[in-house]
Amino acid sequence: VSTSITDRLESFRARALDPATLALRLTLAALLLRPIGIGWLRYAVVALAVVGLVSPKALRHAMLWWLLVALATLRVIADWPMADNHGYLLCYWLLAIALCRSSVELEDTLARNAQLLIGLTFAFASLWKVLLSPDYLDGTFLRISMATDVRLETFTRLAAGLDAVELQTLREHLHSGGSIGGAAEPTRYRAVAMIATGWNVFINLALACAFLGLPWIARTRNILLIVYCTVTYAVATVDGFAWLLISMGIAQTDRVAVRTIAGFVAVFLLVLGYRAWN
Amino acid sequence: VALHQLGATVYGDLTPWLGGGFGMFATLDTPGNRVISAHLLEPDFRREIVIPESLSDAAERARAFPTRRRLAELARRLAANPQYNRRTAEAVQLTVWRIRPNPEPIRTVRVDIDH
């Protein structure tokens, strides 16, 4: 009897920690927590996500994923050009899952696709921040956005040590056509903006290199992604993007890396906490 | 898709934040940092007009990606509004502006009113 229980326990642990299945479930959970689209499309996505979560058979069925690909793509086309970037990433990821459902080597194929998608996402993000944007590298973007973007207000007040009145004064100065810099910009505020700019450039480039397989950094990719999601989504409240990255992060994690998988799940929940806090 | 977004931002004035190229949080050229000014042109003067709520979705898309075609369509819909389609009015003119870091016009489109 005890052998049977041990075997069943081992079997349960093996199934529970299967990274591919966990990634699929968290992808569906993300669609429930942050439904996409409007009207009937939103209800259809939520219904499919529920079906996939409650039925292991449906979760494994390619049709569920092809339907989600169709709905996610329809949403991006209907919203053009207003869909967020992770709307596109969701389409690619769902397409990868749907295609992999037909593959006999599901885990390996899904892992490779997840790794490439994360790598390319950060490669393009780096390209914009480092080469194409005229106002990122010199700190202008964050020096203005930290004051004017209400989504960054909590971070700005905590990190830059500004109270509500000081932040409002800076905001009004910028809204009335004033330029950044000079006496209107507190020293600590400027320092925080410049450090945050440098950190973002570093972490985006590091993630791109790590996930696209540069040998000297590839082994650190999971910890980099966990750190990125923990830090970034405490400030930028784009939880749908975070959950998508975490789901893909899990999909490309080795099944024996239990702590890494647990770390990803913990960050998934942490982002939910950020959302509740905000 | 990402390469198309690069082309659309460079040659078509799509905001880098949108279009699937992952340019979000990289530049001040956000949809929210763009505005559309709309004017009714009459023989002796031009009058600023307000884009009605019913056209807010079209205006939002035009701010994000101000193609000539999209702006012209918005101007035509404004011109069809009985409030603006007056005998003396000659045209509707729309200009999309970037307001940060410095205000600059991105594109202007004028659509004549057919009486």
mmCIF file of all heavy atoms in Angstrom, chain A residues 169-194:
data_model
loop_
_atom_site.group_PDB
_atom_site.id
_atom_site.type_symbol
_atom_site.label_atom_id
_atom_site.label_comp_id
_atom_site.label_asym_id
_atom_site.label_seq_id
_atom_site.Cartn_x
_atom_site.Cartn_y
_atom_site.Cartn_z
ATOM 1 N N THR A 169 3.789 69.987 -8.682
ATOM 2 C CA THR A 169 4.482 71.191 -9.164
ATOM 3 C C THR A 169 5.304 70.877 -10.414
ATOM 4 O O THR A 169 5.263 71.605 -11.413
ATOM 5 C CB THR A 169 5.408 71.747 -8.062
ATOM 6 O OG1 THR A 169 4.629 71.995 -6.902
ATOM 7 C CG2 THR A 169 6.088 73.035 -8.509
ATOM 8 N N LEU A 170 6.047 69.759 -10.353
ATOM 9 C CA LEU A 170 6.857 69.357 -11.501
ATOM 10 C C LEU A 170 5.968 69.029 -12.703
ATOM 11 O O LEU A 170 6.256 69.411 -13.842
ATOM 12 C CB LEU A 170 7.710 68.139 -11.112
ATOM 13 C CG LEU A 170 8.676 67.606 -12.167
ATOM 14 C CD1 LEU A 170 9.645 68.677 -12.633
ATOM 15 C CD2 LEU A 170 9.447 66.403 -11.617
ATOM 16 N N ARG A 171 4.866 68.354 -12.427
ATOM 17 C CA ARG A 171 3.936 67.966 -13.500
ATOM 18 C C ARG A 171 3.363 69.211 -14.179
ATOM 19 O O ARG A 171 3.299 69.285 -15.409
ATOM 20 C CB ARG A 171 2.819 67.126 -12.878
ATOM 21 C CG ARG A 171 1.912 66.455 -13.877
ATOM 22 C CD ARG A 171 0.931 65.543 -13.181
ATOM 23 N NE ARG A 171 1.562 64.336 -12.697
ATOM 24 C CZ ARG A 171 1.043 63.528 -11.767
ATOM 25 N NH1 ARG A 171 -0.105 63.825 -11.208
ATOM 26 N NH2 ARG A 171 1.667 62.428 -11.392
ATOM 27 N N GLU A 172 2.937 70.171 -13.362
ATOM 28 C CA GLU A 172 2.360 71.399 -13.935
ATOM 29 C C GLU A 172 3.407 72.168 -14.733
ATOM 30 O O GLU A 172 3.098 72.753 -15.781
ATOM 31 C CB GLU A 172 1.777 72.269 -12.817
ATOM 32 C CG GLU A 172 0.430 71.734 -12.331
ATOM 33 C CD GLU A 172 -0.062 72.449 -11.073
ATOM 34 O OE1 GLU A 172 0.599 73.425 -10.657
ATOM 35 O OE2 GLU A 172 -1.083 72.010 -10.510
ATOM 36 N N HIS A 173 4.638 72.174 -14.240
ATOM 37 C CA HIS A 173 5.735 72.834 -14.964
ATOM 38 C C HIS A 173 5.883 72.220 -16.363
ATOM 39 O O HIS A 173 6.009 72.945 -17.366
ATOM 40 C CB HIS A 173 7.031 72.680 -14.157
ATOM 41 C CG HIS A 173 8.265 73.061 -14.914
ATOM 42 N ND1 HIS A 173 8.606 74.365 -15.191
ATOM 43 C CD2 HIS A 173 9.247 72.289 -15.468
ATOM 44 C CE1 HIS A 173 9.744 74.392 -15.873
ATOM 45 N NE2 HIS A 173 10.145 73.152 -16.054
ATOM 46 N N LEU A 174 5.820 70.885 -16.441
ATOM 47 C CA LEU A 174 5.988 70.219 -17.739
ATOM 48 C C LEU A 174 4.757 70.403 -18.620
ATOM 49 O O LEU A 174 4.862 70.630 -19.825
ATOM 50 C CB LEU A 174 6.274 68.731 -17.528
ATOM 51 C CG LEU A 174 7.636 68.422 -16.885
ATOM 52 C CD1 LEU A 174 7.718 66.967 -16.460
ATOM 53 C CD2 LEU A 174 8.764 68.745 -17.851
ATOM 54 N N HIS A 175 3.568 70.304 -18.015
ATOM 55 C CA HIS A 175 2.341 70.460 -18.796
ATOM 56 C C HIS A 175 2.187 71.873 -19.352
ATOM 57 O O HIS A 175 1.533 72.081 -20.377
ATOM 58 C CB HIS A 175 1.111 70.092 -17.959
ATOM 59 C CG HIS A 175 0.908 68.612 -17.829
ATOM 60 N ND1 HIS A 175 1.110 67.736 -18.867
ATOM 61 C CD2 HIS A 175 0.529 67.848 -16.774
ATOM 62 C CE1 HIS A 175 0.864 66.498 -18.472
ATOM 63 N NE2 HIS A 175 0.508 66.536 -17.194
ATOM 64 N N SER A 176 2.784 72.846 -18.667
ATOM 65 C CA SER A 176 2.646 74.221 -19.160
ATOM 66 C C SER A 176 3.740 74.569 -20.174
ATOM 67 O O SER A 176 3.935 75.739 -20.502
ATOM 68 C CB SER A 176 2.693 75.203 -17.979
ATOM 69 O OG SER A 176 3.961 75.115 -17.350
ATOM 70 N N GLY A 177 4.429 73.547 -20.649
ATOM 71 C CA GLY A 177 5.414 73.772 -21.703
ATOM 72 C C GLY A 177 6.828 73.958 -21.198
ATOM 73 O O GLY A 177 7.751 74.179 -21.988
ATOM 74 N N GLY A 178 7.028 73.853 -19.870
ATOM 75 C CA GLY A 178 8.362 73.985 -19.310
ATOM 76 C C GLY A 178 9.244 72.805 -19.699
ATOM 77 O O GLY A 178 8.744 71.708 -19.934
ATOM 78 N N SER A 179 10.537 73.036 -19.755
ATOM 79 C CA SER A 179 11.446 71.955 -20.131
ATOM 80 C C SER A 179 11.965 71.262 -18.879
ATOM 81 O O SER A 179 11.941 71.820 -17.781
ATOM 82 C CB SER A 179 12.607 72.508 -20.956
ATOM 83 O OG SER A 179 13.291 73.469 -20.194
ATOM 84 N N ILE A 180 12.441 70.047 -19.080
ATOM 85 C CA ILE A 180 13.000 69.288 -17.969
ATOM 86 C C ILE A 180 14.409 69.809 -17.701
ATOM 87 O O ILE A 180 15.083 70.307 -18.615
ATOM 88 C CB ILE A 180 12.988 67.769 -18.288
ATOM 89 C CG1 ILE A 180 13.183 66.939 -17.026
ATOM 90 C CG2 ILE A 180 14.040 67.420 -19.333
ATOM 91 C CD1 ILE A 180 12.022 66.927 -16.111
ATOM 92 N N GLY A 181 14.829 69.696 -16.437
ATOM 93 C CA GLY A 181 16.163 70.188 -16.090
ATOM 94 C C GLY A 181 16.066 71.496 -15.332
ATOM 95 O O GLY A 181 14.986 72.065 -15.168
ATOM 96 N N GLY A 182 17.200 71.945 -14.855
ATOM 97 C CA GLY A 182 17.226 73.207 -14.124
ATOM 98 C C GLY A 182 16.635 73.062 -12.736
ATOM 99 O O GLY A 182 16.529 71.966 -12.175
ATOM 100 N N ALA A 183 16.216 74.185 -12.195
ATOM 101 C CA ALA A 183 15.767 74.220 -10.806
ATOM 102 C C ALA A 183 14.484 73.437 -10.588
ATOM 103 O O ALA A 183 14.206 72.972 -9.483
ATOM 104 C CB ALA A 183 15.565 75.674 -10.382
ATOM 105 N N ALA A 184 13.683 73.285 -11.649
ATOM 106 C CA ALA A 184 12.401 72.604 -11.493
ATOM 107 C C ALA A 184 12.567 71.112 -11.250
ATOM 108 O O ALA A 184 11.648 70.453 -10.765
ATOM 109 C CB ALA A 184 11.545 72.830 -12.743
ATOM 110 N N GLU A 185 13.722 70.565 -11.581
ATOM 111 C CA GLU A 185 13.916 69.121 -11.487
ATOM 112 C C GLU A 185 14.790 68.779 -10.270
ATOM 113 O O GLU A 185 15.990 69.080 -10.267
ATOM 114 C CB GLU A 185 14.591 68.606 -12.764
ATOM 115 C CG GLU A 185 14.705 67.097 -12.795
ATOM 116 C CD GLU A 185 15.435 66.614 -14.038
ATOM 117 O OE1 GLU A 185 16.265 67.373 -14.581
ATOM 118 O OE2 GLU A 185 15.179 65.476 -14.462
ATOM 119 N N PRO A 186 14.218 68.148 -9.248
ATOM 120 C CA PRO A 186 15.020 67.809 -8.063
ATOM 121 C C PRO A 186 16.181 66.874 -8.428
ATOM 122 O O PRO A 186 16.057 66.024 -9.309
ATOM 123 C CB PRO A 186 14.013 67.094 -7.159
ATOM 124 C CG PRO A 186 12.675 67.538 -7.625
ATOM 125 C CD PRO A 186 12.812 67.760 -9.091
ATOM 126 N N THR A 187 17.289 67.018 -7.719
ATOM 127 C CA THR A 187 18.502 66.233 -8.009
ATOM 128 C C THR A 187 18.247 64.736 -7.878
ATOM 129 O O THR A 187 18.653 63.949 -8.731
ATOM 130 C CB THR A 187 19.631 66.648 -7.035
ATOM 131 O OG1 THR A 187 19.744 68.070 -7.072
ATOM 132 C CG2 THR A 187 20.948 66.026 -7.439
ATOM 133 N N ARG A 188 17.570 64.352 -6.800
ATOM 134 C CA ARG A 188 17.327 62.920 -6.585
ATOM 135 C C ARG A 188 16.396 62.357 -7.668
ATOM 136 O O ARG A 188 16.574 61.228 -8.120
ATOM 137 C CB ARG A 188 16.716 62.708 -5.196
ATOM 138 C CG ARG A 188 16.476 61.248 -4.875
ATOM 139 C CD ARG A 188 16.118 61.072 -3.411
ATOM 140 N NE ARG A 188 15.383 59.848 -3.193
ATOM 141 C CZ ARG A 188 14.818 59.491 -2.038
ATOM 142 N NH1 ARG A 188 14.925 60.303 -0.996
ATOM 143 N NH2 ARG A 188 14.151 58.364 -1.903
ATOM 144 N N TYR A 189 15.417 63.144 -8.077
ATOM 145 C CA TYR A 189 14.495 62.732 -9.135
ATOM 146 C C TYR A 189 15.272 62.431 -10.412
ATOM 147 O O TYR A 189 15.084 61.386 -11.053
ATOM 148 C CB TYR A 189 13.480 63.855 -9.376
ATOM 149 C CG TYR A 189 12.567 63.649 -10.561
ATOM 150 C CD1 TYR A 189 11.343 62.990 -10.414
ATOM 151 C CD2 TYR A 189 12.915 64.106 -11.831
ATOM 152 C CE1 TYR A 189 10.501 62.797 -11.497
ATOM 153 C CE2 TYR A 189 12.080 63.921 -12.912
ATOM 154 C CZ TYR A 189 10.870 63.273 -12.742
ATOM 155 O OH TYR A 189 10.041 63.076 -13.824
ATOM 156 N N ARG A 190 16.177 63.340 -10.753
ATOM 157 C CA ARG A 190 16.969 63.155 -11.969
ATOM 158 C C ARG A 190 17.868 61.921 -11.850
ATOM 159 O O ARG A 190 17.990 61.133 -12.796
ATOM 160 C CB ARG A 190 17.829 64.401 -12.224
ATOM 161 C CG ARG A 190 18.653 64.263 -13.483
ATOM 162 C CD ARG A 190 19.586 65.439 -13.684
ATOM 163 N NE ARG A 190 20.451 65.157 -14.821
ATOM 164 C CZ ARG A 190 20.696 65.980 -15.808
ATOM 165 N NH1 ARG A 190 20.149 67.156 -15.819
ATOM 166 N NH2 ARG A 190 21.472 65.634 -16.803
ATOM 167 N N ALA A 191 18.464 61.725 -10.669
ATOM 168 C CA ALA A 191 19.347 60.565 -10.466
ATOM 169 C C ALA A 191 18.563 59.266 -10.614
ATOM 170 O O ALA A 191 19.025 58.319 -11.271
ATOM 171 C CB ALA A 191 19.999 60.653 -9.088
ATOM 172 N N VAL A 192 17.366 59.215 -10.025
ATOM 173 C CA VAL A 192 16.541 58.003 -10.133
ATOM 174 C C VAL A 192 16.194 57.723 -11.591
ATOM 175 O O VAL A 192 16.260 56.579 -12.056
ATOM 176 C CB VAL A 192 15.257 58.157 -9.275
ATOM 177 C CG1 VAL A 192 14.245 57.064 -9.602
ATOM 178 C CG2 VAL A 192 15.604 58.134 -7.799
ATOM 179 N N ALA A 193 15.823 58.768 -12.322
ATOM 180 C CA ALA A 193 15.471 58.594 -13.743
ATOM 181 C C ALA A 193 16.651 58.053 -14.537
ATOM 182 O O ALA A 193 16.491 57.167 -15.390
ATOM 183 C CB ALA A 193 14.985 59.918 -14.329
ATOM 184 N N MET A 194 17.840 58.569 -14.263
ATOM 185 C CA MET A 194 19.018 58.120 -15.019
ATOM 186 C C MET A 194 19.396 56.680 -14.646
ATOM 187 O O MET A 194 19.760 55.886 -15.526
ATOM 188 C CB MET A 194 20.206 59.060 -14.772
ATOM 189 C CG MET A 194 19.987 60.495 -15.246
ATOM 190 S SD MET A 194 19.399 60.629 -16.951
ATOM 191 C CE MET A 194 20.842 60.072 -17.855
#
